[in-house]
Amino acid sequence: MSNFGATILDADGLTLTGEERAFFREADPFGFILFARNVESADQLRRLTGEMREAVGREAPITIDQEGGRVQRMRRPRWREWLPPLEHVEAAGERAERAMYLRYRIIADELRQCGIDSNCAPLVDVAQRETHPFLFNRCYGDEAKAVARIGRAVAQAHLDGGVLPVVKHIPGHGRAVTDSHYHLPHVSCAKNDLEEIDFFPFYALNDFPMGMTAHVVYEAVDAAPATLSPVMMQVIREEIGFDGLIMTDDISMKALRGNLGQLSQDALKAGCDVILHCNGALDERRQVAEAASHMSDQAQARAERALEARKTPDEVDIAALEAELEALSGGATAS
């Protein structure tokens, strides 16, 4: 059997088209990602995730962005509506680690019920005064050690719920003053400042199975954005010590300029394991899948280790967790 395709791909709608089925069968992506356009109901999501896995003939991981707050693909009335993470942390105060564990253990339960077994969280970027608003209230705080502790609680909650966490955005997006969906952020501080603050949570969480890069230039390290930088990827692997599967942030974000196929190849050459491509036409997905081809043997080994971390959820009383969370958060859990 050949290695997985070195991609994580999306779909256009609530069900797969015939073209998408055929394409996924051929490209054999490592996994899939869902967006609001793919979400209607729990039954529909179970059908869609089943179609995706059937197309590749295996239990491929299916991820989503369900942070809560602004970045939340599954919303009311069918699912819980959550406060932005930073607001929830502030409401819980000294009890934030336990509160955020409970929050994401409940989220993991919602995801698993719909056939989703990965989530692009925890976000352990450290907030700064200058952090761009697109990211600021998605953070867990402005103190690196506290962010790391809460991030570990969030990641463990996912694993306990049978959901693979994706630690993001390696090696730290908090100093970015522009939105990487549209512009390439540059960070100019000294490397020792990066190590003490920005890199610290990722070092503290380097034992988790999956991570996502930042489309950010760290001028003290390299002139290329981290996703495309062999120098920065070496820092991530050797200094930060993250040996899990590393996916790019969306390769089609406007922070990165150029041909999608070439960008995909450059990211893999830099040291990323798998290309995340979102919100593109089928032809763009084909271009990325062809350029990325299959995982390297090293990436395949990391992918298999990540899949081995996907466990049967522990048994919990969700109503009891909700009640405890309400008490810890002073009733402030939903917007």
Side-chain angles (χ1 to χ4, degrees):
M1 180 178 176
S2 63
N3 290 355
F4 303 137
T7 51
I8 296 172
L9 302 174
D10 61 344
D12 286 338
L14 301 175
T15 187
L16 295 187
T17 66
E19 273 192 302
E20 286 175 328
R21 288 174 189 268
F23 165 59
F24 292 147
R25 189 174 301 114
E26 178 184 356
D28 190 28
F30 167 66
F32 300 93
I33 187 166
L34 302 177
F35 291 90
R37 66 178 181 274
N38 307 121
V39 174
E40 182 181 67
S41 69
D43 287 344
Q44 170 267 323
L45 277 172
R46 284 190 289 268
R47 287 192 297 270
L48 176 59
T49 56
E51 289 171 354
M52 289 173 161
R53 292 179 172 120
E54 183 181 8
V56 295
R58 55 185 166 81
E59 287 297 303
I62 298 177
T63 197
I64 196 167
D65 289 290
Q66 192 73 355
E67 298 174 11
R70 182 163 40 84
V71 180
Q72 181 172 341
R73 313 306 185 196
M74 298 160 60
R75 292 189 173 274
R76 63 163 60 117
R78 294 180 175 85
W79 296 281
R80 296 166 182 83
E81 197 83 12
W82 297 96
L83 283 175
L86 184 57
E87 292 180 26
H88 202 162
V89 168
E90 290 172 344
E94 294 181 356
R95 302 166 295 186
E97 285 176 61
R98 178 61 179 170
M100 294 296 275
Y101 175 91
L102 295 168
R103 167 186 169 118
Y104 286 96
R105 181 62 185 85
I106 294 166
I107 287 173
D109 183 69
E110 290 188 322
L111 298 181
R112 283 284 300 206
Q113 288 185 32
C114 297
I116 300 166
D117 59 2
S118 176
N119 191 18
C120 294
L123 184 151
V124 292
D125 304 318
V126 181
Q128 310 279 328
R129 283 185 301 175
E130 66 271 20
T131 301
H132 192 278
F134 103 92
L135 187 73
F136 185 81
N137 69 357
R138 298 164 59 193
C139 298
Y140 304 154
D142 59 5
E143 199 280 312
K145 291 182 180 178
V147 168
R149 289 194 299 270
I150 294 169
R152 176 164 291 277
V154 170
Q156 191 61 52
H158 283 89
L159 290 176
D160 290 348
V163 172
L164 291 173
V166 179
V167 181
K168 64 184 185 186
H169 303 85
I170 297 175
H173 212 302
R175 294 181 194 268
V177 298
T178 56
D179 183 347
S180 56
H181 291 87
Y182 304 103
H183 306 283
L184 177 61
H186 285 249
V187 169
S188 58
C189 70
K191 189 182 177 191
N192 66 315
D193 292 331
L194 292 170
E195 291 168 345
E196 291 177 7
I197 298 173
D198 306 71
F199 296 177
F200 180 84
F202 297 97
Y203 172 79
L205 273 64
N206 66 13
D207 55 321
F208 284 102
M210 297 173 68
M212 176 189 290
T213 63
H215 297 333
V216 176
V217 172
Y218 305 86
E219 294 175 352
V221 179
D222 193 20
T227 303
L228 306 178
S229 169
V231 178
M232 181 54 85
M233 291 303 300
Q234 185 175 19
V235 168
I236 291 168
R237 293 300 193 190
E238 296 182 4
E239 296 181 27
I240 295 175
F242 193 91
D243 193 36
L245 184 79
I246 293 183
M247 68 177 73
T248 68
D249 204 346
D250 178 12
I251 202 71
S252 67
M253 287 166 62
K254 294 190 171 48
L256 305 182
R257 301 290 182 178
N259 174 273
L260 287 174
Q262 188 62 56
L263 289 171
S264 299
Q265 291 180 349
D266 290 347
L268 294 172
K269 288 176 184 175
C272 295
D273 295 311
V274 62
I275 306 300
L276 175 66
H277 178 259
C278 311
N279 302 312
L282 184 57
D283 284 348
E284 291 176 321
R285 282 177 252 163
R286 291 186 194 280
Q287 181 184 359
V288 169
E290 182 177 351
S293 189
H294 291 88
M295 286 184 172
S296 68
D297 289 345
Q298 193 171 25
Q300 179 77 14
R302 292 189 183 110
E304 291 172 356
R305 288 202 306 270
L307 294 179
E308 288 171 1
R310 188 175 52 177
K311 304 296 187 184
T312 301
D314 56 2
E315 293 187 13
V316 293
D317 181 339
I318 293 297
L321 298 189
E322 289 179 314
E324 182 185 355
L325 179 58
E326 285 287 323
L328 290 176
S329 309
T333 60
S335 58

